């Protein structure tokens, strides 16, 4: 018995029925063993053939043998890291199996991170914050056993705001004037777009939820 892609083991035989102290060495021609199994032969059973023995003192019968080729073991190599992964990310998943079979992936929580298959290429799509485990697996082939799965657990983090822009950079209002400011948070996919509005001088202007009201006459830079 051997694994797929391993070399054939040494083929051996044993003779029985010799008399006195005689053995196979007393044959005038020793038997020859062969098998049809090659290194790349697929798992299965292959005959071991024994022929060619000769002796003037014995009638020789042969009991043929069998070489069994079993599926080989395989391993998954997956070197990706996911530290710093944020919500709304799309990441190509790249792992290889020593069998060269297709590696597939699964997610422990599809509400946090989905696995998408696009034309045989796997992608990780993050949907919300939370801890998730992504597992790479290979279910086995005609010649290889299933691989031991490889898992990576990480936390999907929020997308942090990098800046805020307003619909006005500078404006002038009359006493009692009022205007609504709009704040645009960057990037567009920032997880938390809540903003806090403040004024440097409430005696001149008040602001609430972006709504600015001017009190005495003056300028307000925003």
């Amino acid at each position: 018995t051997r694994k797929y892609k391993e070399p054939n083991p040494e083929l051996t035989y044993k003779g029985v029925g010799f008399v006195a102290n005689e053995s196979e060495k007393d044959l005038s021609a020793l038997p020859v063993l062969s098998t049809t199994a090659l290194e790349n032969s697929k798992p299965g059973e292959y005959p071991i053939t024994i022929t060619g023995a000769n002796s003037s003192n014995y009638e020789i019968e042969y009991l043929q043998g069998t070489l069994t080729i079993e599926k080989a073991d395989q391993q998954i190599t997956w070197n990706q890291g996911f530290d710093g992964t944020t919500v709304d990310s799309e990441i190509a998943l790249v792992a290889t199996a020593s069998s060269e079979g297709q590696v597939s992936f699964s997610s422990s929580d599809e509400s946090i991170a989905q696995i998408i298959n696009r034309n045989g290429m796997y992608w990780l799509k993050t949907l919300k914050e939370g801890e998730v485990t992504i597992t790479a697996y290979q279910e086995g082939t005609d010649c290889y056993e299933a691989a031991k799965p490889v898992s990576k657990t990480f936390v999907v983090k929020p997308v942090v705001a990098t800046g805020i822009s307003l619909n006005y950079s500078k404006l002038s209002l009359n006493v009692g004037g009022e205007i609504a400011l709009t704040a645009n948070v960057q990037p567009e996919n920032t997880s938390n777009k809540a903003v806090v509005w403040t004024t440097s001088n409430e005696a001149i202007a008040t602001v609430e939820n972006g709504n600015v009201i001017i009190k005495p006459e003056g300028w307000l830079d925003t």
Side-chain angles (χ1 to χ4, degrees):
T1 300
R2 68 167 174 87
K3 298 283 190 178
Y4 171 67
K5 276 200 171 180
E6 289 181 353
N8 285 337
E10 181 184 359
L11 302 178
T12 61
Y13 63 89
K14 180 180 180 180
V16 296
F18 293 98
V19 298
N21 294 322
E22 292 185 342
S23 67
E24 297 94 334
K25 296 179 181 179
D26 296 294
L27 298 175
S28 57
L30 295 177
V32 177
L33 295 98
S34 63
T35 179
T36 58
L38 304 175
E39 186 171 313
N40 289 328
S41 295
K42 291 186 176 181
E45 293 187 344
Y46 297 82
I48 299 174
T49 303
I50 180 169
T51 60
N54 192 23
S55 173
S56 59
N57 297 324
Y58 294 94
E59 288 185 2
I60 299 174
E61 295 181 359
Y62 299 104
L63 179 62
Q64 309 299 340
T66 301
L67 174 61
T68 301
I69 299 179
E70 299 176 339
K71 290 185 177 183
D73 298 325
Q74 61 166 320
Q75 296 79 39
I76 291 175
T77 300
W78 189 18
N79 296 321
Q80 286 181 285
F82 296 95
D83 290 344
T85 299
T86 60
V87 175
D88 201 28
S89 296
E90 277 200 13
I91 302 171
L93 297 173
V94 182
T96 58
S98 57
S99 66
E100 299 183 355
Q102 173 72 56
V103 177
S104 301
F105 299 86
S106 64
S107 170
S108 63
D109 192 335
E110 290 273 337
S111 70
I112 296 175
Q114 289 183 342
I115 304 298
I116 303 171
N117 187 337
R118 294 179 184 148
N119 300 319
M121 180 70 184
Y122 286 91
W123 295 78
L124 173 69
K125 171 69 175 177
T126 55
L127 303 177
K128 69 178 184 180
E129 300 170 44
E131 185 176 271
V132 67
T133 299
I134 305 300
T135 300
Y137 62 94
Q138 214 297 321
E139 295 180 330
T141 68
D142 290 342
C143 299
Y144 288 88
E145 300 284 1
K148 181 179 179 181
V150 178
S151 296
K152 295 179 182 287
T153 300
F154 57 96
V155 175
V156 179
K157 299 179 180 180
V159 179
V160 178
T162 58
I164 301 175
S165 63
L166 298 177
N167 54 336
Y168 292 97
S169 60
K170 192 172 186 178
L171 56 88
S172 178
L173 295 175
N174 294 324
V175 173
E178 184 175 341
I179 194 169
L181 298 178
T182 301
N184 294 309
V185 180
Q186 290 87 36
E188 182 64 29
N189 63 343
T190 298
S191 297
N192 183 2
K193 293 189 176 183
V195 297
V196 177
W197 297 87
T198 62
T199 176
S200 61
N201 192 339
E202 290 192 353
I204 297 177
T206 60
V207 58
E208 184 176 352
N209 294 327
N211 190 45
V212 179
I213 299 176
I214 301 299
K215 292 183 176 180
E217 188 174 24
W219 289 81
L220 175 68
D221 292 339
T222 62

